[in-house]
């Protein structure tokens, strides 16, 4: 069953002009490749999938593709959002920019909180990769929906005693086709994804 692709957290959002344009363009280079592979896109019902973010400087803030943009082959800076902070206790996201952040923003924020050296997060959808990871004992969240407090707790728990940089990919068991990779750079996160795909294709 495909999730409805909507924001589930409380969002305090201020609409502004384009922001962090350099980061947006950096993301767009990677996003274009993933879109061409069908790892970011939209289902036949119009619901978009896939999102990418990069940490902004050394803070816990980050730039992320905005909600429901999966179907667009190219994104201008107007389709990006700047997440200033996330209050996990109130389950509230504070964001600004020309567009509202992805429904997965809270999960991205949780990943950035794992280690200050995590600089980028990629979330894609693909049933074959999803099945492969589940069947080959990759790290996995429980059967919990995306964008919920339970998903945040799952991510925190699976990395509780694990070096995230030695295990920088996990499958979202409760989010059909959902896969996440991350790294010290966008290049690292993208490379990890391609390494999984290579194993699948062997």
């Amino acid at each position: 069953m495909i999730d409805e692709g909507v924001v589930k957290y409380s969002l305090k959002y201020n609409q502004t002009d384009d922001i962090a344009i350099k980061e947006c363009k950096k993301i767009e280079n990677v996003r274009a490749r993933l879109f061409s592979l069908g790892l970011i896109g939209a289902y036949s019902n119009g619901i978009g999938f896939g999102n990418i973010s990069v940490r902004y400087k050394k803070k816990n803030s980050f730039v992320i593709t905005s909600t429901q943009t999966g179907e667009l082959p190219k994104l201008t800076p107007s389709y990006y959002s700047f997440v200033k902070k996330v209050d996990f206790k109130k389950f509230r996201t504070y964001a600004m920019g020309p567009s509202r952040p992805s429904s997965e923003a809270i999960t991205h924020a949780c990943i950035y909180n794992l280690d200050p050296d995590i600089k980028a997060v990629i979330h894609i959808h693909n049933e074959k990769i999803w099945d492969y990871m589940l069947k080959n004992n990759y790290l996995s969240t429980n059967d919990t929906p995306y964008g919920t407090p339970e998903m945040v707790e799952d991510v925190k728990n699976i990395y509780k005693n694990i070096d995230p940089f030695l295990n920088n990919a996990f499958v979202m068991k409760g989010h059909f086709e959902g896969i996440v990779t991350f790294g010290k750079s966008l290049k690292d996160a993208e490379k990890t994804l391609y390494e999984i795909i290579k194993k699948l294709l062997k």
Side-chain angles (χ1 to χ4, degrees):
M1 179 176 167
I2 298 169
D3 286 331
E4 65 272 26
V6 297
V7 173
K8 298 181 179 181
Y9 50 78
S10 170
L11 175 64
K12 187 172 179 60
Y13 166 70
N14 292 321
Q15 188 168 24
T16 69
D17 293 334
D18 296 352
I19 195 167
I21 294 173
K22 181 180 177 181
E23 285 75 14
C24 296
K25 290 181 177 178
K26 188 184 295 184
I27 291 173
E28 191 59 24
N29 289 332
V30 175
R31 186 186 181 278
R33 288 191 287 271
L34 298 183
F35 184 91
S36 70
L37 293 171
L39 302 177
I40 290 176
Y43 295 107
S44 57
N45 60 5
I47 293 175
F49 60 82
N51 39 76
I52 304 175
S53 70
V54 294
R55 188 190 292 271
Y56 187 72
K57 298 182 178 179
K58 294 183 179 180
K59 302 177 181 179
N60 277 342
S61 54
F62 54 93
V63 178
I64 188 169
T65 48
S66 61
T67 185
Q68 288 304 306
T69 54
E71 76 280 5
L72 301 174
K74 293 182 180 180
L75 301 184
T76 66
S78 295
Y79 289 103
Y80 283 84
S81 186
F82 181 76
V83 176
K84 294 185 288 184
K85 68 175 182 177
V86 172
D87 186 329
F88 290 102
K89 289 184 179 179
K90 294 181 179 179
F91 211 61
R92 179 176 296 168
T93 296
Y94 297 82
M96 61 188 292
S99 299
R100 295 173 183 270
S102 163
S103 55
E104 288 284 2
I106 203 110
T107 305
H108 286 242
C110 178
I111 294 168
Y112 286 121
N113 276 3
L114 294 174
D115 193 293
D117 286 330
I118 294 174
K119 297 296 193 298
V121 178
I122 293 174
H123 171 222
I124 59 97
H125 279 208
N126 182 276
E127 186 175 0
K128 289 183 178 179
I129 303 172
W130 188 75
D131 279 335
Y132 172 80
M133 291 178 71
L134 284 175
K135 291 175 182 176
N136 287 274
N137 299 314
Y138 278 82
L139 293 178
S140 170
T141 60
N142 292 316
D143 193 9
T144 49
Y146 78 93
T148 60
E150 291 80 11
M151 176 61 76
V152 168
E153 286 303 310
D154 278 358
V155 173
K156 286 165 62 177
N157 287 334
I158 63 177
Y159 285 104
K160 200 169 186 178
N161 300 305
I162 296 176
D163 181 346
F165 294 111
L166 296 178
N167 301 270
N168 61 330
F170 64 89
V171 57
M172 305 168 90
K173 188 176 181 181
H175 183 29
F176 181 61
E177 298 188 349
I179 297 141
V180 173
T181 64
F182 56 87
K184 293 182 179 181
S185 67
L186 259 179
K187 183 178 179 181
D188 287 346
E190 187 180 18
K191 181 182 177 183
T192 294
L193 176 59
Y194 294 152
E195 286 173 348
I196 297 170
I197 294 172
K198 284 180 184 177
K199 290 177 182 177
L200 168 63
L201 296 176
K202 280 184 178 181

